Amino acid sequence: MSEPGPSPLAAGETNLSVAQARAAIAAALRPIREVHDVPVLDALGRVLAADVMSPIDVPAHDNSAMDGFAFASSDLRADAPTVLRLAGTILAGAAFAGRVGAGECVRIMTGAVMPAGLDTVVPLELARIDGELVRIEPGAIAPGENRRRRGEDLARGKPAVHAGRVLKPADLGLIASLGIERVTVLRRLRVALFSTGNELRTLGQPLDPGCVYDSNRYSLHGALRRLGLEVLDLGVVRDDPQALQGALAAAVAQADVVLTSGGVSAGDADYIRDVLERMGEVAFWKVAMRPGRPFAFGPLCAPGSARTTWLFALPGNPVAALVTFYVFARDALLQLAGARPEALPVLQAQSAQAIRKRPGRTEFQRGRVERAPDGRWQVQLTGTQGAGILRSMSEANCLVVLNHEQGSVATGEPVDVLLFDGLT
Ligand code: AMP
Ligand code: MG
């Protein structure tokens, strides 16, 4: 289980920038350590616990990068056509049994082992075949071309994939190319999830006057699952100290992290503060951002246990809940899960409209980034940007990030965008 780091309390209650809040959270967290082995086929999205060292050279032999004719570059002539005698054919997966003498070449397929002494491959389309003879025009090919060297992809004994990598399809392929069947991964981080609010109704219940369906649990469940985390769904908890304490105790007993939404805004905060004060060192954070303040973060302790469970109490507004999740919880959860932090790529796109913005806070607007007819990337905000309007998030494919010091944006000005989906 995770260990407590320095208390984040010192950072609480002040008007932090987004960057300061993220840094304070990162400084407090300690990753989980328990590991287990899984077959490579089951390792997609898991966090690698130790470097995978290559037990072999990849490729294992010098081999051809092209279908063509392999020969020794010492036979290559610069001033006149090179004419070689065809001594045989090598297929992929087989070694050449015969000898290749001076002035000779062999037909070779992509990936086939280069016979000893040969170092160059002329592609089929650059050679002229005339019976037993292969003719190469001067300048068509340089010495050493189209030969892949043994170990050029990976040398034996060198790390092939580093600890902390969230394994992607290419990583699985790379590990398999080394002949390795199982990998050691960190166990999945367990996140207990609940929503708070007397007005929330669970799907299947009638929607009484003044009530709304609990949507945050569904958005956040999806966001957690996409990170490859284990989710414990604890449902909806009423705005009531006993109910909250009970839910938190159940969460702390089972999970590394508790993720909640709602109940941390000014009106609710008093009794929540009392409950949280008794259970750990949670701080209420006022971050200079829109949407999404305030939220609470800090360690909770199970009675009689040295183990720490980290609480992320997000605001209840559906957009604010998801935005604060992406801005503060996402990277923190990956860090706790043992993943090496990898900054999300921030791209620039031209704003298709003017956007009003006050310097001194970070704003996250919802947008759709698309290719404009002139080939440039352009971003358009998705409708009304209220913190409760989930459709703005659903229709978006990115967050438009208006940075702390930035002021209003004119039409056509570049803005930072954070894409929701990437090729991973
Ligand atoms: P709160 O942060 O609890 O003051 O909630 C702010 C707003 O978000 C209120 O209008 C709530 O009804 C709404 N809200 C809170 N939690 C949820 C939820 N789980 N699903 C949908 N709306 C919510
Ligand atoms: Mg509420």
Side-chain angles (χ1 to χ4, degrees), residues 299-359:
L300 298 175
C301 288
S305 158
R307 188 164 68 74
T308 298
T309 297
W310 295 94
L311 172 75
F312 291 85
L314 308 179
N317 265 315
V319 173
L322 261 183
V323 168
T324 46
F325 177 86
Y326 286 126
V327 175
F328 299 112
R330 180 193 179 274
D331 289 0
L333 293 172
L334 288 173
Q335 186 187 342
L336 281 170
R340 212 166 7 129
E342 230 174 270
L344 288 173
V346 175
L347 309 178
Q348 289 222 312
Q350 277 190 316
S351 180
Q353 68 220 92
I355 309 174
R356 285 166 63 98
K357 157 77 167 61
R358 184 155 66 68

Side-chain angles (χ1 to χ4, degrees), residues 195-196 199-200 212-216 261-263 265 268 315-318:
S195 299
T196 69
E199 78 285 20
L200 300 182
V212 292
Y213 283 118
D214 169 17
S215 62
N216 289 347
S261 67
S265 53
D268 306 303
N317 265 315

Side-chain angles (χ1 to χ4, degrees), residues 72-136:
S73 57
S74 52
D75 286 333
L76 198 60
R77 300 186 55 165
D79 49 345
T82 303
V83 180
L84 303 163
R85 201 187 66 81
L86 190 56
T89 296
I90 317 164
L91 302 172
F96 188 61
R99 287 179 56 89
V100 188
E104 290 185 331
C105 67
V106 284
R107 177 81 207 274
I108 195 164
M109 309 298 169
T110 306
V113 177
M114 292 287 282
L118 306 192
D119 61 2
T120 306
V121 175
V122 60
L124 272 183
E125 59 275 18
L126 295 183
R128 225 177 62 219
I129 302 135
D130 182 7
E132 286 277 279
L133 299 180
V134 173
R135 190 182 155 101
I136 309 165

Side-chain angles (χ1 to χ4, degrees), residues 37-313:
D37 276 10
V38 293
V40 174
L41 270 183
D42 295 336
L44 184 67
R46 301 300 302 269
V47 180
L48 197 61
D51 290 354
V52 171
M53 310 301 276
S54 180
I56 54 170
D57 284 323
V58 181
H61 307 275
D62 286 8
N63 69 82
S64 174
M66 302 289 275
D67 287 346
F69 300 96
F71 62 98
S73 57
S74 52
D75 286 333
L76 198 60
R77 300 186 55 165
D79 49 345
T82 303
V83 180
L84 303 163
R85 201 187 66 81
L86 190 56
T89 296
I90 317 164
L91 302 172
F96 188 61
R99 287 179 56 89
V100 188
E104 290 185 331
C105 67
V106 284
R107 177 81 207 274
I108 195 164
M109 309 298 169
T110 306
V113 177
M114 292 287 282
L118 306 192
D119 61 2
T120 306
V121 175
V122 60
L124 272 183
E125 59 275 18
L126 295 183
R128 225 177 62 219
I129 302 135
D130 182 7
E132 286 277 279
L133 299 180
V134 173
R135 190 182 155 101
I136 309 165
E137 292 307 316
I141 195 91
E145 263 192 283
N146 303 316
R147 173 185 45 161
R148 298 186 191 131
R149 284 185 179 272
R150 170 185 179 151
E152 80 175 14
D153 193 350
L154 262 177
R156 179 179 177 161
K158 289 277 184 320
V161 190
H162 289 278
R165 170 75 57 83
V166 180
L167 294 168
K168 312 189 286 293
D171 300 322
L172 304 188
L174 182 61
I175 293 167
S177 77
L178 308 177
I180 295 173
E181 283 175 85
R182 299 181 72 86
V183 286
T184 306
V185 295
L186 286 149
R187 74 156 168 80
R188 283 185 207 275
L189 194 74
R190 267 195 292 277
V191 182
L193 174 65
F194 64 84
S195 299
T196 69
N198 290 344
E199 78 285 20
L200 300 182
R201 291 293 172 270
T202 300
L203 301 189
Q205 292 181 331
L207 198 58
D208 301 321
C211 291
V212 292
Y213 283 118
D214 169 17
S215 62
N216 289 347
R217 213 154 33 93
Y218 291 82
S219 322
L220 294 171
H221 194 278
L224 291 168
R225 291 293 300 274
R226 281 233 291 209
L227 292 179
L229 310 181
E230 196 180 308
V231 184
L232 289 171
D233 185 352
L234 300 183
V236 173
V237 174
R238 295 183 62 77
D239 292 317
D240 162 82
Q242 257 98 52
L244 181 66
Q245 187 157 359
L248 286 172
V252 164
Q254 303 172 73
D256 306 296
V257 173
V258 194
L259 185 67
T260 70
S261 67
V264 283
S265 53
D268 306 303
D270 288 350
Y271 80 85
I272 287 197
R273 270 167 215 255
D274 292 344
V275 171
L276 293 178
E277 232 161 58
R278 269 178 270 137
M279 297 189 71
E281 287 183 69
V282 172
F284 283 71
W285 301 50
K286 276 194 203 140
V287 180
M289 68 181 281
R290 210 170 84 150
R293 53 181 200 145
F295 77 101
F297 164 75
L300 298 175
C301 288
S305 158
R307 188 164 68 74
T308 298
T309 297
W310 295 94
L311 172 75
F312 291 85

